[in-house]
Amino acid sequence: MLTDLQQQPADALLALIKLHNTDPRADKIDLGVGVYRTGQGDTPVFGAIKAAEKKLVEEQDSKAYLGPEGDMGFVEALMPYIFGKDSAEMAKILEAGRIEGMQTPGGTGSLRLALGMVKRAGCKRIIVGKPSWPNHNQICADLGLGVVEFNHAAADGTIDMDALRTAIAASEDGDAILLHGCCHNPTGIDYSHAEWDEIASLLAASKILPIVDLAYQGLGAGMEEDAYGLRRVLVSVPEALICYSCDKNFGLYRDRVGALYAMVADPADLPKVMSNGHSLARANWSQPPDHGGAAVRLVLEDEKLTAQWLDELDQMRDRMRQVRARLAAAGKTGGVDLTPIGGQNGLFSIIPFTPEQVQAMRTKHGIYFAGSGRINVAGLTMGNIDQFIAAVADVTG
Ligand code: LMR
């Protein structure tokens, strides 16, 4: 039976890690998978997380199972940061008990549950901007959900609102839409506040279920600013799913830390809705890994550690802004214009390389990034950015 299986292609992005690792050149540059790097090119554990992990090792007295929902202290401690402490409209939703969550293994686990839940609810089509994070489409395909694509950004790098308006207008009953809350992966091109306001009204007037993927909160403009769109949508629609990842904003990548939240119109429906999340979790991984989520909870339960974490996050964001500003200042470079990168957000931007140019960047210059032309700007430092810009000029000129 097993010999009947078809060979599957290796995940292109994850395969890049190996490709870069085996390149012997000392000046190679890794702009592939989305991990933050410091100005020295490292991805250290956050100081606040290290301190919380120490506490965890000292204080944790059992590793007995917690259940499919994981550590609810973690899930609840995140809620003020995701949903906001200051908005009266959001406060009303929270006080009414319309939102409940559960822990998941990373943002991928959360997406898997969200898409599995809508499938169980009868959804057949997910409306997704193009391009999107390749795993979005991959999970939909694995679940047998159809994907309806609309163009995310126009050729000039601005949001293609017309494409989104048309996709919403053409939606069918039972469709869901998957939106990136901030730091769009792979383009870095986010909706403005005015565009989010319009999206929220369009969704309110439709029957589409919004699924908001918030995997980079704090890496764009700030923790509050990056949640603007999510909160606008939530106060406008009756129900939504929120897929959250702590892998980037707490630097917990390999520990796989995420959460799924459901918002419903009538809190009486929450037990039924969440029971589907729990049973899907049980069927997929039974219960989420605990360590990373427990460390996040300990950070958020301690005022000093919370301040330290937010400060570390600010430093990451500032560094990425500096890299973006330096790339934008290079302007027209060979055959491409790097200027728009300055106004984009988060870890990623796309440079319109041809497939041959992507290959030349790898073979001739030892610079590795996704075949789509997506670069992880955090892989650039003040020490290698000139080398990168010169290589771009060389292969595109
Ligand atoms: C990325 O897009 O590079 C990250 O989200 C990591 C991943 O799992 O793909």
Side-chain angles (χ1 to χ4, degrees):
M1 181 198 285
L2 296 181
T3 53
D4 292 335
L5 286 171
Q6 302 293 311
Q7 177 72 37
Q8 299 295 317
D11 184 280
L13 193 61
L14 301 185
L16 263 188
I17 300 175
K18 274 200 195 124
L19 217 55
H20 170 266
N21 286 349
T22 50
D23 186 329
R25 283 171 282 191
D27 62 350
K28 63 187 173 179
I29 304 177
D30 179 6
L31 308 180
V33 75
V35 292
Y36 174 77
R37 289 186 217 284
T38 64
Q40 287 69 47
D42 309 317
T43 307
V45 180
F46 277 54
I49 287 288
K50 270 275 179 216
E53 285 181 313
K54 253 195 201 139
K55 246 186 179 176
L56 187 61
V57 168
E58 279 159 20
E59 292 173 9
Q60 192 172 51
D61 51 13
S62 172
K63 288 194 182 284
Y65 292 126
L66 288 176
E69 70 276 31
D71 180 344
M72 287 302 287
F74 152 78
V75 171
E76 277 155 23
L78 272 175
M79 288 177 69
Y81 296 91
I82 305 173
F83 302 114
K85 302 174 204 170
D86 304 327
S87 138
E89 284 173 297
M90 275 309 309
K92 242 167 101 183
I93 293 176
L94 292 164
E95 279 158 24
R98 288 178 51 202
I99 300 183
E100 192 180 316
M102 61 185 286
Q103 189 181 348
T104 59
T108 302
S110 175
L111 284 157
R112 182 87 204 180
L113 292 192
L115 292 165
M117 272 164 93
V118 298
K119 174 150 195 212
R120 280 188 177 178
C123 172
K124 294 203 171 43
R125 311 190 323 165
I126 310 292
I127 304 169
V128 185
K130 186 181 167 183
S132 197
W133 183 45
N135 222 14
H136 282 156
N137 286 16
Q138 184 157 266
I139 299 171
C140 289
D142 200 47
L143 287 165
L145 286 162
V147 169
V148 181
E149 293 187 316
F150 65 90
N151 196 40
H152 175 65
D156 63 359
T158 55
I159 288 289
D160 190 345
M161 275 304 279
D162 273 341
L164 178 55
R165 288 183 194 114
T166 307
I168 293 177
S171 65
E172 294 173 3
D173 272 7
D175 283 351
I177 189 167
L178 182 47
L179 293 166
H180 298 232
C182 67
C183 304
H184 185 267
N185 180 4
T187 65
I189 304 170
D190 283 340
Y191 299 117
S192 65
H193 285 194
E195 284 162 346
W196 272 118
D197 293 347
E198 184 183 347
I199 293 167
S201 324
L202 291 173
L203 291 176
S206 80
K207 288 191 177 155
I208 303 173
L209 177 89
I211 303 174
V212 182
D213 184 358
L214 194 59
Y216 297 88
Q217 191 187 8
L219 275 77
M223 285 295 288
E224 284 297 297
E225 295 85 339
D226 290 350
Y228 179 87
L230 167 72
R231 296 176 194 168
R232 283 312 307 155
V233 170
L234 294 184
V235 299
S236 309
V237 298
E239 51 180 32
L241 292 170
I242 302 98
C243 300
Y244 196 80
S245 174
C246 297
D247 293 344
K248 312 294 188 319
N249 60 3
F250 285 86
L252 282 159
Y253 314 93
R254 68 175 75 155
D255 281 342
R256 315 302 303 132
V257 185
L260 169 71
Y261 295 88
M263 182 187 81
V264 295
D266 180 353
D269 287 327
L270 268 180
K272 178 176 72 181
V273 171
M274 293 312 290
S275 74
N276 280 276
H278 300 162
S279 73
L280 283 165
R282 180 68 166 146
N284 279 285
W285 49 79
S286 182
Q287 315 185 39
D290 176 69
H291 179 86
V296 169
R297 174 175 50 73
L298 288 176
V299 168
L300 298 180
E301 282 173 357
D302 181 310
E303 248 177 62
K304 267 200 188 142
L305 289 184
T306 300
Q308 186 182 352
W309 160 61
L310 289 171
D311 186 50
E312 292 180 276
L313 195 53
D314 286 350
Q315 289 175 35
M316 283 167 64
R317 195 170 56 245
D318 287 350
R319 197 187 95 66
M320 288 192 291
R321 282 268 154 247
Q322 282 168 25
V323 171
R324 286 186 176 281
R326 174 73 188 83
L327 287 172
K332 195 162 177 320
T333 302
V336 293
D337 184 9
L338 302 181
T339 315
I341 294 176
Q344 295 166 1
N345 289 321
L347 286 177
F348 309 115
S349 280
I350 285 199
I351 298 176
F353 292 110
T354 64
E356 294 74 27
Q357 290 167 347
V358 172
Q359 206 46 42
M361 288 290 279
R362 290 182 194 170
T363 50
K364 191 166 172 201
H365 296 285
I367 301 176
Y368 292 83
F369 50 84
S372 61
R374 186 194 83 168
I375 60 161
N376 171 10
V377 299
L380 293 169
T381 66
M382 291 306 152
N384 66 19
I385 201 161
D386 289 335
Q387 179 195 340
F388 174 73
I389 293 168
V392 173
D394 178 46
V395 305
T396 64

